[in-house]
Amino acid sequence: MNKKLLKQTIFFQIFRMTSALVILFLFVMIWTFISNGIGVISWTFLTDMPKRGMTEGGIFPAIVGTVYLTLGAIVFALPIGVASAIYLVEYAHEGRLVRIINSAIINLAGVPSIVYGLFGFGIFVVFLNFGTSILSGSLTLFIMILPTIVSASREALLGVPKSFREGSLALGATKWQTIRHMVLPYALPGILTGAILAVARAAGETAPIILTAVFFFRPSLPRSIMDGTMALASHIYYMATQHHAINLVRPLTYGSVLVLLSIVLSLNILAIVIRTRYRRRKNW
Amino acid sequence: MPVKIETKDLTVSFGDVDAIKNVSMEIFTNRVTAIIGPSGCGKSTLIKSFNRMNDLVSNVKITGQVLLDGENIYGTNYDVVTLRKKVGMIFQKPNPFPKSIYDNVAYGPRIHGIHKKEILDKIVEENLKKAALWHEVSDRLNSSAMDLSGGQQQRLCIARALAVEPEVILMDEPCSALDPIATAKIEGLIRTLSRDYTIVVVTHNMQQAARVSDYTAFLYLGKLIEYGLTKDVFENPQNDLTEKYLTGKFG
Amino acid sequence: MKEFLIEKFLFASSIFSIIVVTLIFLLLFSQGILGFREISIIDFLFGQTWQPTSLVKAEFGTVPLVYGTAVVTSIAMAISVPVGIAIAVYIAEIANPIEKEILKPIVELLAGVPSVVYGFFALVTLATWIQQLTGTNSRLNALNGGLILAIMVIPTIVSLAEDAISSVPREYREGSMALGASKWETIKNVTVPSAAPGILAAVLLGFGRAVGETMAVLMATGNAAVVNFNILDSVRTMTATIVIETPEVAFGSLHYHALFGVALLLFLITFVFNYMAGVIMRRYGRTGR
Amino acid sequence: MNRLLDTGLERLTAMLLQMGKVAEEAVRISIESFMTGVDVYERVEQLSDTLVRMNVDVEDKAFELIAKYQPVASDLRIIKSYIKISNDLERYGRYAWDISFIHKRLANFEKCEDPLAIIEEMGEKVISMVQVSIEALKTHNSELARKLIETENEVDALYFRHLDHSTEMPMSSRCLITNTLVVRYLERIADHATYIGESIIYIATGEKVVLR
């Protein structure tokens, strides 16, 4: 009996150590970026244009570019993703079509981001001739995050009890009235969580935008969606690997990483907080 | 006796399975009709065909007719929304919306275009009174319906259904999730409401059927086995299956 | 009428996903197939040399790229599968509520970190550690890429495997414990085996993620398209190849089509693994609706 | 499947059949003793008292079953009828006691020969009715129960014949009273046998018949 317990304790401790190790890794990584990057973070770093071949100055155009690209993606993805989820949950009858749509969504979710990049490159940049532009990048990111939004919205809709719908329909509400008043409001936190996570993911994506939207260096802010741009993620990549004076710009690179990481992790934390609060408040 | 609902050769199937087979019956105005039968006999399916809630199931097929005031509700031009306004429904598990007590009752009227505060106030009060809930909640209409007890929630659902001024109220095992005292209150309410409404109650509790109903229908494997005055069905059932079911001698 | 229009709009939106998948495949296929007018499929799949820009003789053998992807992915999976499952088991079965409250969000944050950030970390920190530990000459190598990839795949495996383990019915556990089994025996003999299909699906999806990961491996592996059978040598993956070469490729050239060919190969590999994961998940609960 | 209620119903039936036995004996010996002039007053009084007690027991048991199981349909009909039948059986005992009481009080000095033939015939028929009613009860046999009506009619006919007869024949008032009362008691016993028959038909078919 004691041997049994000893074995159990040993295994549990191994598992606990493993988990702790992964936490440790995250903290070490974040600490690396904070300790190396905090020095360069300043108001001017965030709001200035890059200067002297990006060895000095700020990353303002990159931040702006990331915001544009991300906003563009979510503006397309949210309505279409939510609409798609509503159709699948509320309207579609189980059958061939739903199965095909489902497997399409599952497969979209699994497509590597670089393939999205190449797709965006082939379709938007080349075929539709949008060129290397915010539009091409946004559309590419939109397609990339669409499955995330659909899945999150679908889960959120399915989480609304059937009894709400029955109750409303039984009172003579139409299907759309029921969805609008009795389903969507209660699915909203879940949909929102999904949307925020999708935004975070889009903001951090690099490969697709390298092929569709960004330039190594662009000294001015984009003036229209047909302009190319800089973006934080790609900026980090270029500064870390492509710059002619890698060591000189390393502090700035750390700073950029810290900015990107703060944005993305804040969004993630926000999503987690919303979800936790909503789960706690949920009383049905 | 005026007939409110009449089914003619009603058959409801899900896929290949017939849940209701050739049921023809008349439901009388301002009477309580109980539908009893073993689990899976089609009781719920039967009443859900009275307000077309079965339509929500994807592979459902319905043949025959259901006449409400002589009009076929499965007719091509019949408006489901109007139907469900006329035929309210109370569900097995109390399903108040996670809104305030007031908004629960006001939900139906609002959906149907009533937005004036004074009118809504009146509707809410009137129907909470009808559902015998008013004196328990009149001081906290704006608190969440989810904080009410199970029995109160069910009465709130009844008030909510009454607020759209139905003529028929369908109840799908309305007390199965409630304790005996809450059950007694709902049963009393059913008797009171039967003065103004035609009520159809599905129940697996035979004693409840005996207590609240004027007429009792016994359903077995989707077929209407016996239908008649409750006192006759319970004292002297004509069909051997009914007898066996009522006395608990079911194999 | 309004209801009808709304339904049509919703329907159109949901069809969109099908259209996109089809378009992706069609594009990759049509562009990739053009390359095979000049490159033989045999050479493409089994050629030992990837030299698309050589002026002397351009060669499009994907073996070095597939090898790079395989090595990096194998290292990543060898680490992330046991670690991921261990953490999933810990969260689902062993951790007390407070540990759970901490671990779960951290795993989610780990999943949220952008791959370029991981790549940068591998480039500047992890590579140094490995170099100090092994004394290798090439700072950026397959091991470096595999390690960082392992960290990136762990959250995928943990969250899906944890779902699978958590959805094992309580009764199974109670049944086992009631027979006098210890918690560990219950986990080992009842809970984890019952969750096996879900865990397998998690591993497959993790694999799909590892194969398709781009930026981190691009920045961590050194990108030399050679086959050396040494994990401390530099390698180049399929994904990295696409990122590096696409921006500079001449539109419509043979090289251009060859890159689409690589993407098609990548798409098909990940498709197969995601499909298998999907089938497993659909068959064993967690319906796809 | 054996229901909890079944055990109770079996117990109730057993009590009722026991009552039947006692009642039958009371009726039989009271009539026979009247014919033969033997005094069985003590015995019959004992039997009648037993029946009164048992009737209370049956009623208690029946109410217990109703309270516990809320029986419906045939179960409810059985219990409701058993309460009535138990009452009828108690009445058998009571009239048997009445007969033996009259016999002891008025008739034991000498016999009033003349209407004895009628009383004897009635007595036989009544005893058979009591036996048939109890037999029908044992098996819930509605056919058998229906047969009671014929005998009941014959008993009634004899009763009327006695009434006609006694006004025409000169008789001592003692004899007149004795015989008339006994004939009347026999007629009542036959009535109760018929009631039992009605109850049995109701149990078996749910039909509420009036056999008289």
Side-chain angles (χ1 to χ4, degrees):
Chain A
M1 190 64 202
N2 270 335
K3 209 176 148 197
K4 215 165 151 178
L5 273 178
L6 183 70
K7 204 169 153 192
Q8 167 164 322
T9 315
I10 290 171
F11 272 107
F12 283 10
Q13 287 311 322
I14 293 174
F15 282 27
R16 170 183 262 151
M17 290 307 170
T18 314
S19 307
L21 213 61
V22 172
I23 299 179
L24 187 69
F25 181 89
L26 181 69
F27 282 120
V28 167
M29 189 169 75
I30 291 177
W31 178 246
T32 308
F33 296 132
I34 292 178
S35 60
N36 288 301
I38 198 80
V40 299
I41 302 274
S42 67
W43 185 243
T44 39
F45 180 70
L46 296 176
T47 57
D48 250 14
M49 301 303 268
K51 285 171 194 152
R52 293 184 188 228
M54 301 199 288
T55 56
E56 283 175 28
I59 52 168
F60 187 58
I63 295 178
V64 169
T66 292
V67 170
Y68 283 171
L69 286 169
T70 312
L71 278 183
I74 200 72
V75 160
F76 290 112
L78 197 57
I80 293 188
V82 173
S84 171
I86 293 177
Y87 182 80
L88 288 174
V89 175
E90 309 289 339
Y91 287 86
H93 295 305
E94 240 142 297
R96 234 178 121 78
L97 185 67
V98 172
R99 273 208 307 283
I100 295 175
I101 296 175
N102 273 328
S103 61
I105 290 165
I106 290 171
N107 283 312
L108 272 184
V111 170
S113 59
I114 182 64
V115 172
Y116 280 112
L118 201 60
F119 170 73
F121 178 74
I123 292 278
F124 303 124
V125 178
V126 177
F127 183 71
L128 294 173
N129 207 11
F130 293 159
T132 302
S133 64
I134 292 178
L135 183 62
S136 298
S138 287
L139 288 172
T140 307
L141 291 176
F142 145 56
I143 288 174
M144 198 189 73
I145 62 174
L146 184 64
T148 314
I149 304 244
V150 176
S151 306
S153 308
R154 192 167 49 179
E155 290 297 317
L157 292 169
L158 287 174
V160 178
K162 214 174 120 202
S163 64
F164 289 15
R165 297 177 180 87
E166 287 180 337
S168 173
L169 289 173
L171 291 170
T174 64
K175 189 146 196 162
W176 179 244
Q177 280 175 327
T178 300
I179 292 170
R180 241 195 54 172
H181 296 289
M182 282 325 301
V183 180
L184 278 184
Y186 302 99
L188 201 60
I191 294 174
L192 208 61
T193 310
I196 293 171
L197 287 175
V199 165
R201 179 160 172 226
E205 266 308 333
T206 316
I209 58 171
I210 286 179
L211 302 189
T212 56
V214 298
F215 295 124
F216 175 66
F217 177 59
R218 195 176 190 283
S220 61
L221 294 180
R223 253 168 269 116
S224 88
I225 54 167
M226 299 312 285
D227 281 353
T229 181
M230 291 176 76
L232 269 176
S234 55
H235 183 63
I236 293 167
Y237 167 63
Y238 291 137
M239 298 276 276
T241 63
Q242 314 280 297
H243 198 273
H244 58 85
I246 286 177
N247 290 326
L248 192 61
V249 296
R250 185 106 319 158
L252 293 182
T253 315
Y254 274 114
S256 307
V257 169
L258 195 55
V259 172
L260 178 65
L261 203 55
S262 318
I263 294 174
V264 170
L265 291 191
S266 312
L267 287 171
N268 274 283
I269 290 169
L270 179 66
I272 293 171
V273 168
I274 291 180
R275 195 182 46 208
T276 323
R277 284 191 49 182
Y278 146 78
R279 280 211 184 126
R280 207 164 288 159
R281 277 229 317 267
K282 187 163 121 169
N283 55 357
W284 60 79
Chain B
M1 182 88 54
V3 174
K4 189 73 189 172
I5 298 176
E6 183 181 1
T7 71
K8 283 184 179 168
D9 260 337
L10 180 69
T11 298
V12 182
S13 20
F14 301 106
D16 314 329
V17 186
D18 289 350
I20 292 291
K21 293 172 196 157
N22 295 317
V23 168
S24 297
M25 68 187 289
E26 292 175 332
I27 287 171
F28 301 107
T29 309
N30 291 7
R31 291 289 179 276
V32 180
T33 304
I35 299 173
I36 60 170
S39 300
C41 69
K43 299 178 297 245
S44 289
T45 306
L46 181 60
I47 65 161
K48 281 181 178 170
S49 63
F50 294 164
N51 66 344
R52 293 186 57 172
M53 285 300 265
N54 284 327
D55 294 15
L56 303 184
V57 185
S58 53
N59 57 350
V60 70
K61 193 169 151 270
I62 296 163
T63 58
Q65 295 187 329
V66 177
L67 308 179
L68 175 67
D69 294 326
E71 214 180 330
N72 184 12
I73 64 169
Y74 288 96
T76 37
N77 289 324
Y78 206 94
D79 179 23
V80 186
V81 168
T82 322
L83 169 69
R84 293 191 186 141
K85 252 186 93 172
K86 272 197 207 167
V87 183
M89 185 160 198
I90 306 298
F91 297 85
Q92 188 166 358
K93 213 171 143 254
N95 64 340
F97 301 141
K99 300 168 179 281
S100 72
I101 294 168
Y102 184 98
D103 286 341
N104 262 278
V105 184
Y107 180 84
R110 279 181 180 141
I111 286 288
H112 297 299
I114 299 173
H115 292 290
K116 273 215 172 110
K117 178 95 174 62
E118 314 87 78
I119 302 179
L120 284 176
D121 285 351
K122 233 184 95 199
I123 291 176
V124 169
E125 177 174 349
E126 207 172 276
N127 290 293
L128 282 172
K129 276 178 179 162
K130 277 192 199 163
L133 190 61
W134 175 253
H135 67 280
E136 289 167 55
V137 300
S138 58
D139 55 340
R140 49 176 174 141
L141 291 177
N142 289 317
S143 61
S144 169
M146 309 311 273
D147 299 338
L148 297 175
S149 72
Q152 289 174 322
Q153 288 188 358
Q154 195 61 300
R155 277 179 284 149
L156 177 65
C157 291
I158 292 174
R160 188 176 72 188
L162 296 179
V164 294
E165 298 175 351
E167 294 161 16
V168 179
I169 305 172
L170 308 174
M171 300 188 172
D172 190 357
E173 306 204 1
C175 302
S176 64
L178 304 181
D179 65 57
I181 293 172
T183 299
K185 281 189 185 162
I186 302 279
E187 288 176 358
L189 189 56
I190 292 173
R191 287 308 319 169
T192 317
L193 291 173
S194 72
R195 273 182 237 136
D196 302 313
Y197 303 90
T198 304
I199 299 176
V200 186
V201 188
V202 160
T203 177
H204 61 250
N205 180 340
M206 291 179 306
Q207 296 306 328
Q208 180 169 69
R211 286 192 294 267
V212 302
S213 70
D214 303 300
Y215 291 85
T216 297
F218 172 61
L219 225 57
Y220 181 62
L221 296 175
K223 287 192 187 130
L224 183 63
I225 303 295
E226 185 155 356
Y227 180 41
L229 280 169
T230 299
K231 66 180 172 66
D232 292 344
V233 172
F234 276 87
E235 188 186 325
N236 185 19
Q238 297 304 304
N239 190 296
D240 198 41
L241 277 171
T242 320
E243 163 78 35
K244 280 190 171 145
Y245 178 68
L246 290 178
T247 55
K249 287 177 188 152
F250 238 58
Chain C
M1 190 59 201
K2 182 183 158 203
E3 297 269 328
F4 179 78
L5 288 177
I6 287 170
E7 183 171 347
K8 287 297 152 226
F9 167 70
L10 298 173
F11 174 70
S13 300
S14 69
I15 292 296
F16 190 78
S17 303
I18 302 181
I19 297 172
V20 169
V21 172
T22 317
L23 272 182
I24 291 179
F25 183 75
L26 281 183
L27 181 81
L28 296 181
F29 191 75
S30 66
Q31 294 299 310
I33 207 82
L34 288 175
F36 294 120
R37 286 188 309 198
E38 290 178 43
I39 313 163
S40 87
I41 292 188
I42 304 286
D43 284 349
F44 184 76
L45 289 179
F46 302 107
Q48 304 283 326
T49 316
W50 178 265
Q51 265 178 357
T53 52
S54 167
L55 293 173
V56 188
K57 180 175 179 279
E59 288 191 67
F60 299 96
T62 51
V63 166
L65 314 183
V66 173
Y67 165 77
T69 294
V71 166
V72 175
T73 306
S74 306
I75 296 170
M77 296 311 283
I79 297 165
S80 62
V81 168
V83 171
I85 294 175
I87 297 176
V89 168
Y90 190 76
I91 294 179
E93 298 290 303
I94 305 167
N96 63 43
I98 296 169
E99 288 175 321
K100 226 173 175 169
E101 290 281 306
I102 298 170
L103 265 172
K104 284 187 83 165
I106 283 186
V107 170
E108 282 179 59
L109 288 187
L110 220 47
V113 173
S115 64
V116 68
V117 173
Y118 279 116
F120 185 63
F121 185 76
L123 179 75
V124 294
T125 310
L126 199 56
T128 312
W129 292 351
I130 291 173
Q131 202 171 26
Q132 281 167 357
L133 232 61
T134 61
T136 174
N137 287 328
S138 47
R139 238 178 78 81
L140 302 180
N141 51 44
L143 180 61
N144 192 25
L147 281 177
I148 200 68
L149 199 51
I151 295 289
M152 299 175 69
V153 172
I154 283 172
T156 307
I157 295 183
V158 171
S159 66
L160 288 167
E162 200 250 327
D163 271 359
I165 295 169
S166 297
S167 56
V168 171
R170 255 170 82 96
E171 293 77 20
Y172 289 20
R173 267 161 259 198
E174 283 167 356
S176 165
M177 306 276 261
L179 293 173
S182 71
K183 205 168 168 183
W184 168 242
E185 286 166 331
T186 303
I187 292 170
K188 196 176 59 163
N189 299 323
V190 177
T191 319
V192 170
S194 309
I199 295 176
L200 182 60
V203 170
L204 289 174
L205 285 177
F207 187 89
R209 167 127 206 239
V211 169
E213 177 46 46
T214 311
M215 293 317 288
V217 289
L218 168 68
M219 295 165 83
T221 55
N223 301 315
V226 288
V227 181
N228 249 347
F229 301 111
N230 181 349
I231 58 168
L232 290 174
D233 269 340
S234 175
V235 293
R236 177 198 274 205
T237 63
M238 295 151 76
T239 52
T241 307
I242 300 173
V243 174
I244 295 168
E245 296 175 10
T246 306
E248 284 146 25
V249 75
F251 170 67
S253 66
L254 191 57
H255 186 193
Y256 178 87
H257 295 305
L259 287 176
F260 274 92
V262 174
L264 181 63
L265 196 57
L266 196 59
F267 179 78
L268 291 178
I269 294 172
T270 52
F271 179 86
V272 167
F273 279 90
N274 289 319
Y275 181 78
M276 289 198 299
V279 167
I280 291 171
M281 292 225 267
R282 255 195 307 279
R283 186 164 305 166
Y284 303 92
R286 268 204 73 76
T287 48
R289 197 190 141 104
Chain D
M1 187 184 65
N2 208 359
R3 304 169 305 156
L4 288 174
L5 174 61
D6 288 339
T7 322
L9 283 176
E10 278 161 23
R11 177 88 196 89
L12 199 61
T13 310
M15 288 163 81
L16 218 58
L17 292 179
Q18 182 59 36
M19 274 182 89
K21 258 190 196 159
V22 176
E24 197 238 293
E25 188 191 345
V27 172
R28 191 168 38 77
I29 63 172
S30 67
I31 294 173
E32 281 169 4
S33 69
F34 183 79
M35 299 310 296
T36 53
V38 184
D39 180 11
V40 289
Y41 176 75
E42 302 288 327
R43 173 71 181 143
V44 173
E45 185 173 46
Q46 202 186 352
L47 292 173
S48 172
D49 286 352
T50 309
L51 285 171
V52 169
R53 246 190 359 262
M54 290 180 86
N55 184 30
V56 173
D57 289 348
V58 166
E59 203 174 273
D60 283 353
K61 187 70 189 171
F63 275 70
E64 178 197 327
L65 295 182
I66 291 172
K68 272 189 181 169
Y69 305 108
Q70 292 112 50
V72 293
S74 60
D75 296 331
L76 182 61
R77 297 203 302 268
I78 286 175
I79 293 174
K80 176 188 168 193
S81 304
Y82 277 12
I83 294 172
K84 284 177 76 175
I85 291 172
S86 151
N87 211 44
D88 292 325
L89 293 173
E90 192 255 354
R91 293 321 291 169
Y92 280 173
R94 172 70 204 190
Y95 291 124
W97 179 84
D98 281 335
I99 291 170
S100 61
F101 175 75
I102 289 295
H103 177 58
K104 181 186 175 196
R105 185 72 186 266
L106 298 174
N108 55 350
F109 307 105
E110 60 183 90
K111 291 206 170 158
C112 306
E113 290 296 340
D114 226 15
L116 264 186
I118 292 179
I119 294 182
E120 186 170 16
E121 198 184 343
M122 260 182 105
E124 275 166 16
K125 287 191 190 303
V126 165
I127 290 172
S128 96
M129 280 181 83
V130 167
Q131 284 165 343
V132 167
S133 72
I134 290 165
E135 194 54 37
L137 170 64
K138 273 184 196 159
T139 52
H140 291 183
N141 185 338
S142 59
E143 293 306 308
L144 204 54
R146 273 180 210 283
K147 286 199 178 127
L148 286 167
I149 183 69
E150 295 164 22
T151 333
E152 153 79 359
N153 288 339
E154 290 164 17
V155 170
D156 278 358
L158 287 169
Y159 174 58
F160 295 131
R161 210 163 94 210
H162 167 76
L163 291 185
D164 295 343
H165 187 78
S166 55
T167 49
E168 284 158 17
M169 296 295 285
M171 219 185 294
S172 71
S173 53
R174 186 178 57 80
C175 277
L176 182 64
I177 293 170
T178 306
N179 288 344
T180 305
L181 280 174
V182 169
V183 166
R184 171 68 185 153
Y185 294 145
L186 289 174
E187 193 271 337
R188 288 306 299 150
I189 293 175
D191 278 351
H192 281 286
T194 316
Y195 298 159
I196 291 179
E198 288 169 1
S199 292
I200 286 160
I201 291 169
Y202 173 68
I203 288 176
T205 66
E207 215 181 314
K208 288 173 185 165
V209 289
V210 179
L211 289 180
R212 291 142 283 156

